[in-house]
Amino acid sequence: MKPMELTREQACDIGENLEMGMECYVHKTTKAIEMLPDERNIYYEPEEWQEIIDKVKKEEENYTKFSPMNSNDAFKVMEDFACSLPEGRVRYDLLDILSDRKPFANFNSYVQSGPLRNKWFAFKRGAYIDYVLAEAKRL
């Protein structure tokens, strides 16, 4: 089976939606992207998405599904971000947070409340693009 080829722009679009908790379906021929929220989300209301659900289910074999990163991959992205920072207090604070209880919540609280916010979002966006491109080759 030939791996799916996506442009960086398509991977960015898919990655942004995956970051928001959506599942993305890419048509294998047309490369059209369809997004659906995770049905396990408590705010998920299938009737709002029924048209897309029906479309994807009807042609399921023609779509490749992309799901958000699992928690191990997401943790690795946070760890890579911390390690990408220069030696110093901020880097060590983040590494300490990642080795303590509730690393996801505490990491996000730390980076979003300070000067690292934009740098973190850019890093995570790049990681999601790389993740989508790698998944496309694997699927």
Side-chain angles (χ1 to χ4, degrees):
M1 185 167 115
K2 183 180 172 191
M4 176 173 281
E5 293 182 27
L6 298 173
T7 67
R8 192 153 182 86
E9 184 178 314
Q10 289 169 316
C12 183
D13 187 27
I14 294 166
E16 286 174 357
N17 282 284
L18 294 178
E19 271 188 86
M20 294 186 301
M22 304 291 274
E23 293 179 336
C24 295
Y25 296 83
V26 180
H27 194 278
K28 293 175 184 176
T29 306
T30 66
K31 303 295 189 273
I33 301 170
E34 302 290 350
M35 278 86 58
L36 291 170
D38 185 338
E39 59 189 37
R40 295 170 295 183
N41 184 313
I42 60 172
Y43 301 108
Y44 175 66
E45 296 190 27
E47 54 278 352
E48 292 180 26
W49 300 92
Q50 201 58 54
E51 186 178 327
I52 296 171
I53 292 169
D54 293 344
K55 180 179 181 179
V56 170
K57 282 190 179 191
K58 182 179 175 185
E59 296 185 57
E60 195 169 356
E61 70 281 353
N62 293 323
Y63 283 93
T64 299
K65 178 183 175 184
F66 290 83
S67 296
M69 285 184 196
N70 65 40
S71 58
N72 290 337
D73 290 336
F75 185 88
K76 179 77 170 110
V77 171
M78 293 187 303
E79 193 174 54
D80 289 348
F81 176 72
C83 290
S84 76
L85 299 173
E87 295 281 333
R89 180 161 175 72
V90 172
R91 179 180 183 171
Y92 298 123
D93 284 349
L94 285 176
L95 291 172
D96 282 344
I97 286 169
L98 292 173
S99 65
D100 208 355
R101 290 175 24 98
K102 299 185 179 183
F104 286 89
N106 292 329
F107 180 94
N108 283 317
S109 176
Y110 187 95
V111 297
Q112 291 187 25
S113 64
L116 292 176
R117 180 183 168 92
N118 290 338
K119 190 171 189 172
W120 164 240
F121 286 142
F123 188 91
K124 187 167 69 165
R125 185 177 311 114
Y128 251 104
I129 291 169
D130 293 343
Y131 166 77
V132 169
L133 291 171
E135 284 294 295
K137 288 180 182 175
R138 187 184 68 75
L139 297 173

